[in-house]
Amino acid sequence: MTELKKSPVRFDEEKHEYWLGDRQLLGITSTLIHRAFPDKYKGVDSEVLQNAARKGKELHNLIEYHDKFGTDAIEHTDPRVQSYERLKTERGLRTIANEYLVSDEERYASSIDIVMLNQQDEICLVDIKTTWKLDRESTALQLSIYKRFFERQNPSLRVVSLFVLWLPNKDMSLAEMISLQPVSNDIIDALMEADIADTPFDITASYGNLPALVASAEDEIIRIEESLKQMKARQEQLKKGLYEVMEKYNVKSFVGSRVRLTRILPTQASSFDSKQFEADHPELYKQYTKTSDKKGSLKITINQ
């Protein structure tokens, strides 16, 4: 069983304050995230923000109740809770803690919405968002800070995945559990230094506008990759079927109006074990090895 260390920090829920003994600590979203993205809520009416915060808190409480007492404890009609359970099940995740408090025990503290385990019993951190438009960039930073504090608080545990659970209030058909890439510790260090010194922090200086570019292209990349995968699978299915027909009637080649089919007969192939040759004859391998320039490329991996 995975046991999480309890933080010595105390959270005053009524005042929404974090205390370590008689010293007040600062919340992460109101300091670090605000410093990195100062215009995030620019122009948004304070009453709208307060109403969103109240609804968000209500949803957090519903989900925590659901996690603690299970689906049989209460009949959930809230579509957000139903979407949460569905998305969690699809990912093979299970909850081990709600509102888990983490801190650097020096300056900052915050509560992680949900701590989960995947099917390999590895730690995953989840943040719930209910906004109509999902800000992946700031959420990735927020979860990355949580990850850092979580691992400091639990030195024997490592966080393998960060997820944002997007439950947009206006349309549950958009609900999604999205994997986010962690922000590097160097960026977090620079952000903390700027916050302590009370100086502006330009997060784009760390990696330009790459996160925004990735976010805008992300859906299209996934659609293309999924289409390619499906087309490749269909191509292999067609080739297998055509090969079996040609083999059955002993047809070696067939020319259609636009396609030529050639049945390659089974054979044996030989390959050169360059790795073993290098181990056995390193000098000779070096003598016959030539170096050439190779252009850089981009590898795309779709997070599941």
Side-chain angles (χ1 to χ4, degrees), residues 98-302:
N98 298 83
E99 301 297 330
Y100 178 66
L101 203 156
V102 292
S103 171
D104 63 351
E105 299 181 21
E106 296 174 6
R107 183 177 175 86
Y108 305 103
S110 192
S111 294
I112 302 171
D113 288 347
I114 313 174
V115 181
M116 295 186 177
L117 293 179
N118 62 18
Q119 292 176 319
Q120 290 73 45
D121 288 336
E122 298 168 320
I123 297 291
C124 306
L125 305 184
V126 180
D127 191 71
I128 302 171
K129 298 297 183 189
T130 60
T131 53
W132 175 241
K133 185 177 181 182
L134 180 61
D135 187 343
R136 303 187 188 199
E137 190 176 359
S138 66
T139 307
L141 176 61
Q142 181 182 345
L143 280 166
S144 297
I145 298 171
Y146 290 169
K147 174 180 181 293
R148 181 160 178 185
F149 289 179
F150 178 95
E151 291 178 342
R152 175 174 176 172
Q153 192 163 299
N154 300 275
S156 64
L157 300 176
R158 287 293 173 265
V159 176
V160 300
S161 296
L162 304 176
F163 291 106
V164 55
L165 174 63
W166 188 35
L167 300 172
N169 289 313
K170 294 182 179 179
D171 189 355
M172 275 301 100
S173 68
L174 299 175
E176 194 175 356
M177 180 88 79
I178 303 168
S179 176
L180 299 176
Q181 292 301 306
V183 174
S184 72
N185 282 335
D186 289 342
I187 294 175
I188 296 174
D189 284 340
L191 174 58
M192 287 182 177
E193 289 172 5
D195 190 61
I196 292 171
D198 195 19
T199 56
F201 179 78
D202 182 8
I203 195 166
T204 62
S206 299
Y207 39 49
N209 62 345
L210 181 60
L213 289 172
V214 171
S216 65
E218 193 167 31
D219 290 339
E220 185 175 0
I221 289 172
I222 291 173
R223 283 197 302 270
I224 291 172
E225 290 291 324
E226 289 298 324
S227 296
L228 288 173
K229 186 189 301 181
Q230 292 172 11
M231 287 188 288
K232 182 66 176 176
R234 178 55 179 159
Q235 182 190 48
E236 292 301 319
Q237 186 181 39
L238 287 170
K239 287 171 67 176
K240 182 176 182 293
L242 290 169
Y243 182 91
E244 289 174 352
V245 171
M246 293 175 71
E247 185 177 46
K248 179 179 179 180
Y249 294 103
N250 197 28
V251 177
K252 293 184 178 180
S253 65
F254 176 83
V255 180
S257 60
R258 298 173 63 189
V259 175
R260 175 190 293 272
L261 306 177
T262 303
R263 181 164 61 100
I264 309 299
L265 299 178
T267 185
Q268 289 186 331
S270 299
S271 61
F272 182 73
D273 190 343
S274 59
K275 187 175 181 180
Q276 187 60 50
F277 183 79
E278 181 183 11
D280 295 341
H281 310 283
E283 292 301 322
L284 194 58
Y285 176 85
K286 185 177 180 180
Q287 181 181 342
Y288 284 91
T289 299
K290 63 179 182 179
T291 303
S292 59
D293 293 331
K294 187 177 180 180
K295 288 185 178 180
S297 62
L298 177 67
K299 179 181 178 182
I300 297 177
T301 302
I302 305 299

Side-chain angles (χ1 to χ4, degrees), residues 4-71:
L4 305 181
K5 181 182 176 182
K6 185 176 180 180
S7 172
V9 175
R10 176 178 58 86
F11 178 58
D12 186 329
E13 188 169 354
E14 184 178 343
K15 296 181 179 179
H16 202 88
E17 294 176 348
Y18 299 94
W19 291 88
L20 181 60
D22 58 357
R23 180 158 54 98
Q24 185 176 358
L25 303 184
L26 304 173
I28 290 172
T29 54
S30 61
T31 55
L32 297 176
I33 304 303
H34 178 71
R35 188 167 297 276
F37 302 96
D39 298 328
K40 182 175 173 65
Y41 297 112
K42 187 177 181 180
V44 181
D45 186 79
S46 60
E47 187 175 341
V48 173
L49 292 175
Q50 291 173 5
N51 187 46
R54 177 182 57 78
K55 287 184 177 180
K57 182 60 179 175
E58 289 174 356
L59 176 60
H60 282 66
N61 290 339
L62 270 176
I63 287 177
E64 183 172 3
Y65 189 90
H66 172 81
D67 281 332
K68 282 185 177 179
F69 300 106
T71 55

